[in-house]
Amino acid sequence: MTDTVSRRSALRLLGGAITVAATATGGLTTPVHALDRPEAGVGPRVESLIGRLTLDEKISLLHGATDPNSLGQAGYVPGVPRLNIPPLRLADGPAGVRVTRHATALPAPVLLASAFDPELARRYGRVIGREGRALGQDVLLSPMVNLIRTPYAGRNFETFSEDPLLASGMVAAEIEGIQGEGLIATVKHYAMNNQEQDRMSVDVRVDEQTMHELELRGFEAAVVARTGAVMGAYNKVNGTFACENRTLLTDVLREQWGFEGWVMTDWFAAHSTVAAITAGLDMEMPDGTYFGTALRSAVQNGTVPERYVDRAVRRILTVMDRFGLLDGSAPPRPDRDAPASAAVALEIAEAGATLLRNERRTLPLARGGSLAVIGPTGALPFVSGGGSAHVVPDHADSPLDALKSRAGKLTYALGEDLYGKAIPASALDPAFDSEGQQLAAGQVWTYDGTLTVPEDDEWTFVLHFSSAPTARPKVLLDGTELFPQAPGYGEFFTGGLVSAAPDGLSVRRGTLTLAKGAHTLRITAQGGAGGLTFRLRRSTGATRAQDVAEAVAAARAARDVVLFAYEDATEGLDRTTIALPGHQTRLIEAVTAANPRTTVVLNTSSSTSMPWLGRTGAVLQMYYPGQEGAAATAAVLYGECDPGGRLTQSFPADDDHHPVAGDPRRYPGVDGTEEYSEGIHAGYRWYDAEGVRPLFPFGHGLSYTSFSYADLRARRTRHGIEVSFTVRNTGRREGIAVPQVYVGPSPRLRLDQAVRVLAGYRRLALRAGERRRVTVDVTARTLSSWDPARHTWVLGTGRRTVWVGTSSRELRLRTNVEVGR
């Protein structure tokens, strides 16, 4: 037990999720929490403040407000200057601190989790914790621990895994790192927030066993790690909005787990005053629609007893006091250490790089050879996804820059055009400069003319503009708006790559099939208060064919090809397919036909279908690798480090073969209701239960060396079972092995159980020829199932099968062990 877990919480959660995470990876080291103080010393100070606060002052602490000195962060709570209660600034930060200033752009959390190393997660958290305080923040709105349930979810890159054990270990370690630096962490989104489509309203129907065994385990681990805050989700859970759901906010979070921090809403996720505060919600963000004037009136007319207000204030102040924000004992804000943070970002990007395929010794590349680099993200740095995860990086090189120093002769071909090419003046009547319209403030500019298309073709119009998204030029072709406003927050939650041009102008696209001949074109643009710059470009079948032809020529002329493929994800928008967007499939097929020594580097948010896989030499999954992603990618491609990542999610073969395929009730829901009818069989558990072969299984990842596994033994212990085995590097170079322990079902439990579940793992760096004896402790919690009739965990006794493998499908060793009480 660490010294950061209170006696009350430890007793309630003995054998809980954090213990599972610890034993799965060899034990969590005791973190330094310099700001923690005995709880007995907190109460009197907080109680004294509550007794001196007026009702208006109390309520001012329970909702967001406008920051008079904003640093571009997401939220602000003003504090009470009269009583020296400081304000709180709350910043997004799943992959770095999101403010208007520069910060270290870390790899996406899914790439972090791919390293299967909680210690790296702790260091990841320390970087964010230090930078958050250095950048004037008090609360981090991260980490996210919702499971990857559907491959379409737009925020899969912001979270860790489809597996609850892996997610629990990562979230606990990251929170320890964040809060060890004095920044308050917020685990989110509580709970069942596993998609972006209809996220504000969808009603998730889920049974008790599924909820506790899967989604809730990561949140429980965060509570045991003493997260200061929890963010409630937008969606409903079993008929009630998450932010006013007493079962979640009080029965589970407080009474079962002993959470002692505060619960805030996601932004604009509140729906009530009385129901929310009595259910256990403490803070509304980012304003006071329900917890401002409405709450004061409810207290004054007796609808809400003031003790509920006091309870919420007490929870917030107690966390603030724990972090030294009430008595001035918090240490001075540090300076950023950008070089040290960048080094951590690079290490994590290399550690999480996941080699999915490597045939004919395509990788590693030989220095000095001829190399063709193809694809837009080969020449543009792809740092992060869009929405809350976007960070203003200190710097970001392109892979092309990083590869130049290693290759001999290097050529580059665009392959897939993201930003369009100029519309020929001859196609416009009257002609105008579509490449650079400049409007002064207040100026209005219109165009009425025709666009002549030389042949039937698919056109993608690309608008570049400098104004706010809602004030962009209006473009009508044959009376149809090419760039209509997206509903809700769609205009503001845009991706990290395709929605901005290299020169910083915002980008929108519209695709349609045009018949040969003249089409009416009308454009209206307004300079607004600050002027406007815009461009109108296009991509057509003809321009795409030329781009592919140039890429094929470059591929044929080089010994090796590295083709960068992308998929740009963002908060607020789910994917519609797991196929690569645009015309990238055609590009990959053409290039691999020209040169089979082609490595495809994937900068994607989540799983991707690969109908072109068999033609490739190698496939390297890099997700969104952060500001050091180019250097990490080049290092892995040239064998300067072993690709140490493993898949934290199953990759389906296509859109028809995954856990939510073919059943709209499972995803995205029908008539506002979504059913988690797969139950506990999510992710790799579904593939095993249904006998479906994934494209790549959970835990898969290749090395540049080889490993053997032998001498598996398993024995009972007081706290579960102990699994030991030997791993040997049988290759000629140092490499990374990630052995995984899986456990089968109990024959004595009359509950639904998976074919096998991840029970532990270990990340090993082994020299050529080195062998190591590995011991993994599997806890009673991992060997247990949630019994909805008894509302508790029950141990799965009897003869259990134990496997050791390199993925959920490649199981090298097997034995049995008797589990008893």
Side-chain angles (χ1 to χ4, degrees):
M1 184 183 304
T2 70
D3 61 1
T4 63
V5 180
S6 70
R7 178 177 175 81
R8 173 187 170 198
S9 295
L11 290 173
R12 179 177 283 111
L13 294 163
L14 186 62
I18 195 69
T19 311
V20 174
T23 55
T25 56
L28 295 175
T29 58
T30 302
V32 178
H33 288 270
L35 303 179
D36 285 348
R37 46 195 33 77
E39 291 180 10
V42 173
R45 184 182 302 112
V46 171
E47 293 303 325
S48 174
L49 286 171
I50 290 174
R52 295 157 62 194
L53 286 164
T54 67
L55 177 61
D56 283 347
E57 288 171 336
K58 292 175 186 176
I59 289 174
S60 73
L61 296 172
L62 304 187
H63 64 82
T66 300
D67 187 351
N69 299 297
S70 177
L71 299 170
Q73 79 280 359
Y76 174 77
V77 177
V80 181
R82 180 178 69 85
L83 296 176
N84 296 317
I85 298 174
L88 291 175
R89 289 184 168 88
L90 303 87
D92 290 319
V97 183
R98 183 175 179 254
V99 294
T100 52
R101 298 181 187 175
H102 289 278
T104 301
L106 292 161
V110 70
L111 181 55
L112 165 68
S114 299
F116 278 67
D117 187 351
E119 180 54 36
L120 275 180
R122 187 174 293 107
R123 292 171 59 201
Y124 186 99
R126 286 174 183 157
V127 169
I128 298 176
R130 179 187 177 100
E131 294 209 338
R133 293 207 70 240
L135 292 167
Q137 305 305 300
D138 307 291
V139 181
L140 184 77
L141 305 172
S142 189
M144 175 180 173
V145 75
N146 301 105
L147 294 186
I148 297 174
R149 175 178 176 264
T150 167
Y152 304 120
R155 301 181 80 172
N156 281 347
F157 69 95
E158 286 189 57
T159 193
F160 301 114
S161 177
E162 68 187 22
D163 180 78
L165 178 72
L166 180 59
S168 296
M170 302 305 291
V171 76
E174 184 179 342
I175 286 171
E176 289 177 350
I178 293 165
Q179 296 194 156
E181 297 293 330
L183 191 67
I184 300 168
T186 307
V187 68
K188 63 184 186 183
H189 309 82
Y190 186 66
M192 318 311 295
N193 185 187
N194 304 115
Q195 66 188 59
E196 294 302 282
Q197 184 165 337
D198 301 324
R199 67 174 181 168
M200 305 292 289
S201 60
V202 69
D203 183 6
V204 174
R205 301 300 175 98
V206 56
D207 67 83
E208 188 176 320
Q209 182 185 359
T210 298
M211 185 160 53
H212 280 270
E213 290 191 20
L214 297 182
E215 178 83 355
L216 294 188
R217 287 188 65 184
F219 290 98
E220 183 182 4
V223 169
V224 181
R226 295 195 73 195
T227 184
V230 170
M231 179 185 290
Y234 287 118
N235 51 279
K236 296 176 184 176
V237 178
N238 294 328
T240 304
F241 281 109
C243 288
E244 55 189 49
N245 191 310
R246 180 178 173 82
T247 298
L248 289 176
L249 301 186
T250 296
D251 298 348
V252 174
L253 187 61
R254 303 285 180 182
E255 296 179 2
Q256 288 184 25
W257 299 344
F259 177 57
E260 296 168 345
W262 87 83
V263 178
M264 71 180 78
T265 68
D266 204 337
W267 269 224
F268 303 104
H271 292 271
S272 67
T273 299
V274 178
I277 198 166
T278 56
L281 182 69
D282 304 308
M283 180 184 288
E284 177 189 7
M285 293 302 294
D287 59 21
T289 301
Y290 296 98
F291 273 27
T293 301
L295 179 57
R296 183 179 64 224
S297 298
V299 172
Q300 290 173 338
N301 66 27
T303 307
V304 173
E306 192 168 350
R307 68 177 183 273
Y308 285 103
V309 173
D310 290 347
R311 181 180 72 176
V313 171
R314 182 178 296 110
R315 291 167 175 171
I316 295 166
L317 293 182
T318 296
V319 176
M320 293 178 68
D321 196 47
R322 172 183 153 201
F323 282 79
L325 300 177
L326 297 182
D327 64 359
S329 64
R333 294 189 183 273
D335 294 327
R336 288 188 62 221
D337 188 345
S341 298
V344 173
L346 175 61
E347 181 180 355
I348 292 170
E350 292 176 347
T354 306
L355 185 60
L356 300 179
R357 173 180 169 88
N358 192 19
E359 300 294 320
R360 302 180 294 275
R361 297 183 179 178
T362 299
L363 293 180
L365 300 174
R367 276 181 172 266
S370 62
L371 179 68
V373 175
I374 296 170
T377 47
L380 293 171
F382 198 164
V383 176
S384 67
S388 300
H390 180 70
V391 177
V392 181
D394 287 312
H395 65 269
D397 294 332
S398 72
L400 190 61
D401 293 331
L403 293 168
K404 284 178 180 176
S405 63
R406 296 167 170 88
K409 178 184 178 183
L410 186 147
T411 57
Y412 172 73
L414 181 62
E416 174 90 351
D417 191 348
L418 289 179
Y419 306 109
K421 294 175 172 58
I423 298 175
S426 60
L428 297 167
D429 184 20
F432 76 96
D433 182 8
S434 64
E435 275 294 282
Q437 288 295 315
Q438 303 277 344
L439 278 69
Q443 183 181 354
V444 177
W445 182 89
T446 61
Y447 174 84
D448 280 290
T450 60
L451 169 71
T452 299
V453 176
E455 59 185 358
D456 295 353
D457 202 352
E458 180 187 271
W459 279 54
T460 295
F461 291 89
V462 188
L463 179 69
H464 302 219
F465 58 97
S466 62
S467 63
T470 53
R472 63 171 177 257
K474 186 174 183 179
V475 183
L476 289 88
L477 188 73
D478 295 332
T480 299
E481 171 62 67
L482 290 180
F483 313 104
Q485 296 290 324
Y489 293 94
E491 286 296 336
F492 302 96
F493 287 128
T494 51
L497 174 74
V498 301
S499 61
D503 62 358
L505 295 187
S506 297
V507 173
R508 295 293 184 272
R509 294 169 182 79
T511 299
L512 66 165
T513 300
L514 298 182
K516 177 181 178 179
H519 298 264
T520 62
L521 178 65
R522 179 176 175 80
I523 304 173
T524 304
Q526 299 184 10
L532 170 69
T533 298
F534 79 90
R535 300 186 286 259
L536 183 62
R537 293 180 173 178
R538 98 298 188 202
S539 294
T540 68
T543 67
R544 285 191 294 271
Q546 181 60 37
D547 289 336
V548 170
E550 292 173 0
V552 166
R556 284 178 176 153
R559 178 180 187 273
D560 294 289
V561 178
V562 178
L563 191 157
F564 287 83
Y566 71 91
E567 176 261 320
D568 194 24
T570 181
E571 177 181 356
L573 184 68
D574 280 349
R575 304 158 73 187
T576 58
T577 176
I578 61 171
L580 290 171
H583 297 266
Q584 293 180 93
T585 292
R586 178 188 170 194
L587 171 66
I588 295 172
E589 290 173 345
V591 168
T592 52
N595 189 332
R597 291 187 59 81
T598 295
T599 297
V600 176
V601 177
L602 293 169
N603 291 128
T604 58
S605 67
S606 187
S607 56
T608 304
S609 60
M610 306 178 197
W612 35 262
L613 179 66
R615 296 183 178 184
T616 63
V619 178
L620 178 64
Q621 176 64 251
M622 290 300 298
Y623 299 103
Y624 302 152
Q627 68 180 45
E628 306 301 321
T633 301
V636 173
L637 290 173
Y638 277 91
E640 295 160 20
C641 62
D642 203 41
R646 305 295 184 264
L647 290 182
T648 72
Q649 59 195 294
S650 308
F651 273 36
D654 52 44
D655 285 301
D656 297 324
H657 297 88
H658 56 74
V660 300
D663 188 347
R665 293 170 298 177
R666 287 189 182 178
Y667 175 85
V670 176
D671 297 329
T673 299
E674 182 178 38
E675 301 172 4
Y676 283 28
S677 57
E678 72 275 16
I680 65 165
H681 303 287
Y684 64 88
R685 304 178 185 201
W686 179 87
Y687 289 92
D688 289 342
E690 297 296 324
V692 175
R693 184 180 181 86
L695 179 65
F696 293 111
F698 172 88
H700 172 74
L702 304 176
S703 167
Y704 289 148
T705 186
S706 57
F707 301 93
S708 67
Y709 296 78
D711 194 17
L712 172 62
R713 299 178 186 179
R715 68 178 185 88
R716 289 173 52 181
T717 68
R718 289 180 56 194
H719 304 293
I721 60 175
E722 179 186 272
V723 180
S724 60
F725 51 93
T726 299
V727 183
R728 178 171 175 258
N729 183 341
T730 56
R732 298 181 178 180
R733 55 173 291 161
E734 180 178 355
I736 302 296
V738 183
Q740 301 149 40
V741 176
Y742 294 87
V743 175
S746 162
R748 297 178 184 169
L749 283 183
R750 296 182 178 179
L751 295 168
D752 198 14
Q753 298 179 75
V755 173
R756 66 183 62 88
V757 298
L758 181 69
Y761 54 88
R762 193 62 59 78
R763 181 182 177 87
L764 306 171
L766 297 178
R767 299 183 302 276
E770 182 182 1
R771 72 174 69 230
R772 189 175 305 172
R773 189 70 183 168
V774 177
T775 299
V776 173
D777 292 320
V778 179
T779 66
R781 169 60 67 83
T782 298
L783 299 170
S784 299
S785 295
W786 182 269
D787 187 342
R790 298 167 59 184
H791 308 295
T792 191
W793 293 95
V794 291
L795 182 65
T797 57
R799 192 172 181 82
R800 309 284 293 265
T801 302
V802 176
W803 294 269
V804 171
T806 57
S807 76
S808 66
R809 285 297 178 95
E810 189 176 354
L811 304 169
R812 303 283 188 90
L813 306 173
R814 174 176 175 167
T815 190
N816 295 293
V817 64
E818 190 73 23
V819 175
R821 296 189 182 278

